[in-house]
Short mmCIF file of all heavy atoms in Angstrom, two decimals:
data_model
loop_
_atom_site.label_atom_id
_atom_site.label_comp_id
_atom_site.label_asym_id
_atom_site.label_seq_id
_atom_site.Cartn_x
_atom_site.Cartn_y
_atom_site.Cartn_z
N ARG A 40 99.74 83.30 103.73
CA ARG A 40 99.24 83.60 102.34
C ARG A 40 97.81 83.68 102.28
O ARG A 40 97.10 84.41 101.77
CB ARG A 40 99.99 82.74 101.26
CG ARG A 40 101.28 83.12 100.78
CD ARG A 40 101.77 82.48 99.58
NE ARG A 40 100.98 81.33 99.13
CZ ARG A 40 101.15 80.82 97.88
NH1 ARG A 40 101.94 81.38 97.06
NH2 ARG A 40 100.43 79.78 97.53
N GLU A 41 97.29 82.56 102.80
CA GLU A 41 95.78 82.21 102.76
C GLU A 41 95.07 83.34 103.64
O GLU A 41 94.08 83.89 103.12
CB GLU A 41 95.42 80.86 103.14
CG GLU A 41 95.84 79.91 102.12
CD GLU A 41 95.64 78.50 102.58
OE1 GLU A 41 95.05 78.18 103.63
OE2 GLU A 41 96.17 77.52 101.85
N LEU A 43 96.17 86.37 104.43
CA LEU A 43 96.30 87.62 103.75
C LEU A 43 95.21 87.84 102.63
O LEU A 43 94.67 88.71 102.43
CB LEU A 43 97.74 87.86 103.31
CG LEU A 43 97.96 89.22 102.52
CD1 LEU A 43 97.73 90.45 103.42
CD2 LEU A 43 99.41 89.17 101.99
N THR A 44 95.19 86.65 101.82
CA THR A 44 94.21 86.66 100.72
C THR A 44 92.89 86.91 101.21
O THR A 44 91.99 87.66 100.76
CB THR A 44 94.42 85.44 99.79
OG1 THR A 44 95.79 85.40 99.40
CG2 THR A 44 93.52 85.47 98.63
N ALA A 45 92.49 86.05 102.30
CA ALA A 45 91.26 86.09 102.86
C ALA A 45 90.87 87.56 103.36
O ALA A 45 89.74 87.94 103.52
CB ALA A 45 91.06 85.08 103.88
N SER A 47 92.39 90.61 102.31
CA SER A 47 92.37 91.55 101.34
C SER A 47 91.60 91.32 100.03
O SER A 47 90.96 92.17 99.42
CB SER A 47 93.79 92.01 100.88
OG SER A 47 94.55 90.79 100.41
N HIS A 48 91.41 90.06 99.75
CA HIS A 48 90.63 89.58 98.52
C HIS A 48 89.87 88.21 98.88
O HIS A 48 90.15 87.32 98.36
CB HIS A 48 91.69 89.26 97.42
CG HIS A 48 92.35 90.40 96.87
ND1 HIS A 48 93.54 90.86 97.52
CD2 HIS A 48 92.10 91.26 95.93
CE1 HIS A 48 93.89 91.98 96.81
NE2 HIS A 48 93.11 92.25 95.94
N PRO A 49 88.88 88.42 99.75
CA PRO A 49 88.11 87.39 100.33
C PRO A 49 87.46 86.51 99.22
O PRO A 49 87.36 85.23 99.34
CB PRO A 49 87.06 87.80 101.23
CG PRO A 49 87.02 89.35 100.85
CD PRO A 49 88.39 89.70 100.37
N GLN A 50 87.02 87.05 98.15
CA GLN A 50 86.43 86.35 96.96
C GLN A 50 87.34 85.19 96.49
O GLN A 50 86.89 84.23 96.05
CB GLN A 50 85.93 87.22 95.90
CG GLN A 50 84.91 86.59 94.91
CD GLN A 50 83.75 86.07 95.70
OE1 GLN A 50 83.11 86.78 96.64
NE2 GLN A 50 83.29 84.81 95.47
N ILE A 51 88.73 85.47 96.36
CA ILE A 51 89.67 84.49 95.85
C ILE A 51 89.50 83.18 96.80
O ILE A 51 89.51 82.11 96.36
CB ILE A 51 91.02 85.08 95.76
CG1 ILE A 51 91.09 86.12 94.81
CG2 ILE A 51 92.07 83.89 95.63
CD1 ILE A 51 92.49 86.86 94.68
N ILE A 52 89.45 83.43 98.13
CA ILE A 52 89.47 82.23 99.03
C ILE A 52 88.03 81.64 98.93
O ILE A 52 87.91 80.35 98.97
CB ILE A 52 89.71 82.70 100.49
CG1 ILE A 52 91.19 83.12 100.50
CG2 ILE A 52 89.41 81.62 101.42
CD1 ILE A 52 92.26 82.06 100.36
N LYS A 53 86.99 82.39 98.81
CA LYS A 53 85.63 81.75 98.62
C LYS A 53 85.59 80.97 97.42
O LYS A 53 84.96 79.90 97.45
CB LYS A 53 84.69 82.84 98.50
CG LYS A 53 84.40 83.64 99.92
CD LYS A 53 83.35 84.80 99.93
CE LYS A 53 83.26 85.54 101.05
NZ LYS A 53 82.48 86.74 101.05
N ASN A 54 86.19 81.44 96.22
CA ASN A 54 86.13 80.62 95.08
C ASN A 54 87.03 79.27 95.20
O ASN A 54 86.59 78.23 94.64
CB ASN A 54 86.68 81.51 93.92
CG ASN A 54 85.74 82.59 93.54
OD1 ASN A 54 84.51 82.66 93.92
ND2 ASN A 54 86.24 83.61 92.78
N THR A 55 88.07 79.54 95.89
CA THR A 55 88.99 78.36 96.07
C THR A 55 88.20 77.26 96.90
O THR A 55 88.29 76.05 96.61
CB THR A 55 90.36 78.67 96.90
OG1 THR A 55 90.85 79.69 96.04
CG2 THR A 55 91.11 77.49 97.05
N ILE A 56 87.44 77.77 97.90
CA ILE A 56 86.64 76.73 98.78
C ILE A 56 85.65 76.14 97.90
O ILE A 56 85.39 74.86 97.94
CB ILE A 56 86.01 77.55 100.02
CG1 ILE A 56 87.23 77.78 101.05
CG2 ILE A 56 85.04 76.66 100.70
CD1 ILE A 56 86.80 78.71 102.09
N LYS A 57 84.96 76.95 97.16
CA LYS A 57 83.75 76.49 96.23
C LYS A 57 84.30 75.35 95.25
O LYS A 57 83.65 74.43 94.97
CB LYS A 57 83.14 77.59 95.51
CG LYS A 57 82.15 78.39 96.21
CD LYS A 57 81.56 79.49 95.33
CE LYS A 57 80.63 80.41 96.07
NZ LYS A 57 80.14 81.49 95.40
N ALA A 58 85.50 75.68 94.75
CA ALA A 58 86.14 74.72 93.85
C ALA A 58 86.77 73.53 94.51
O ALA A 58 87.27 72.57 93.82
CB ALA A 58 87.24 75.42 92.94
N LYS A 60 89.32 73.19 96.21
CA LYS A 60 90.83 73.05 96.03
C LYS A 60 91.55 73.04 97.33
O LYS A 60 90.96 73.53 98.41
CB LYS A 60 91.34 74.34 95.25
CG LYS A 60 90.99 74.31 93.83
CD LYS A 60 91.42 75.52 93.20
CE LYS A 60 91.00 75.52 91.59
NZ LYS A 60 91.55 76.65 90.97
N LEU A 62 93.68 73.79 100.63
CA LEU A 62 94.29 74.94 101.36
C LEU A 62 94.94 74.43 102.64
O LEU A 62 94.70 73.36 103.17
CB LEU A 62 93.02 75.87 101.68
CG LEU A 62 92.42 76.52 100.52
CD1 LEU A 62 91.16 77.15 100.99
CD2 LEU A 62 93.36 77.56 99.92
N LEU A 69 88.57 78.92 107.78
CA LEU A 69 88.59 80.06 106.69
C LEU A 69 87.19 80.71 106.67
O LEU A 69 87.04 81.96 106.65
CB LEU A 69 89.17 79.63 105.39
CG LEU A 69 90.69 79.52 105.36
CD1 LEU A 69 90.99 78.81 103.93
CD2 LEU A 69 91.32 80.81 105.36
N LEU A 73 86.31 84.43 107.32
CA LEU A 73 85.69 85.32 106.39
C LEU A 73 84.48 85.98 106.85
O LEU A 73 84.14 87.15 106.36
CB LEU A 73 85.35 84.43 105.09
CG LEU A 73 86.52 84.15 104.27
CD1 LEU A 73 86.16 82.99 103.32
CD2 LEU A 73 87.21 85.23 103.60
N ARG A 105 101.13 86.31 97.11
CA ARG A 105 99.66 85.95 97.38
C ARG A 105 99.14 84.87 96.28
O ARG A 105 98.56 83.91 96.60
CB ARG A 105 98.73 87.15 97.26
CG ARG A 105 97.36 86.83 97.54
CD ARG A 105 96.43 88.09 97.60
NE ARG A 105 96.51 88.79 96.35
CZ ARG A 105 96.88 90.12 96.26
NH1 ARG A 105 97.27 90.75 97.28
NH2 ARG A 105 96.91 90.59 95.05
N THR A 106 99.49 85.02 94.98
CA THR A 106 98.98 84.16 93.90
C THR A 106 99.80 82.95 93.81
O THR A 106 99.33 81.99 93.35
CB THR A 106 98.70 84.84 92.60
OG1 THR A 106 100.12 85.25 92.23
CG2 THR A 106 97.88 86.16 92.68
#
Side-chain angles (χ1 to χ4, degrees):
R40 275 188 356 159
E41 290 172 12
L43 177 61
T44 304
S47 58
H48 296 84
Q50 195 57 49
I51 293 172
I52 293 295
K53 290 176 184 176
N54 291 343
T55 304
I56 291 170
K57 279 183 189 174
K60 292 182 180 177
L62 290 167
L69 280 171
L73 289 167
R105 188 176 57 241
T106 62

